[in-house]
Amino acid sequence: QVQVVESGGGLVQAGGSLKLSCAASGRTFSNFNMGWFRQAPGKEREFVAAISIYGSTYYADSVKGQFTISRDNAKNTVYLQMNSLKPEDTAVYYCAAASVYSYSPQAYDYWGQGTQVTVSS
């Protein structure tokens, strides 16, 4: 079992930045591939970014060059640096852990409760 807890969400003006954190506990963090997803009101949950146990990264086209995912295995934490935020980035952002490296939500076994990011225009 892995518990993941997101933090760092909030309200930011368009063009601003936020850094989300996801703290994991319960099992060996370095053995898990980690992902960030988001869900806007009335929309399905969508993939944002993933990082493998080896540090490889993969991004949704919509955030490529704008968001950066990273991990610190010593702190059992994965981060999502979000720059140049736009109103369309407004969503609840979820962190998840998986035994496979994937962009599919179905591949992820453990999910956090989410953190709200609101970008005002």
Side-chain angles (χ1 to χ4, degrees):
Q1 193 79 3
V2 175
Q3 294 80 40
V4 293
V5 179
E6 305 94 338
S7 62
L11 174 64
V12 63
Q13 288 188 332
S17 298
L18 278 177
K19 187 173 185 177
L20 305 183
S21 299
C22 171
S25 62
R27 292 177 66 179
T28 305
F29 174 75
S30 58
N31 290 344
F32 286 89
N33 302 279
M34 302 297 295
W36 285 98
F37 295 81
R38 65 186 180 186
Q39 188 166 17
K43 295 187 176 181
E44 292 188 354
R45 190 169 299 189
E46 65 173 0
F47 169 76
V48 174
I51 187 165
S52 76
I53 59 175
Y54 304 110
S56 299
T57 58
Y58 185 72
Y59 297 92
D61 287 343
S62 58
V63 305
K64 203 172 293 183
Q66 182 190 357
F67 291 3
T68 302
I69 188 172
S70 60
R71 67 190 298 161
D72 184 338
N73 289 340
K75 295 183 178 180
N76 290 351
T77 302
V78 63
Y79 304 97
L80 186 68
Q81 176 68 47
M82 306 186 295
N83 298 327
S84 303
L85 284 161
K86 311 166 191 173
E88 51 264 43
D89 294 316
T90 295
V92 177
Y93 282 72
Y94 297 90
C95 174
S99 56
V100 297
Y101 182 41
S102 173
Y103 59 83
S104 171
Q106 286 71 32
Y108 287 77
D109 304 302
Y110 306 102
W111 291 82
Q113 293 300 307
T115 185
Q116 176 70 48
V117 172
T118 303
V119 185
S120 63
S121 57

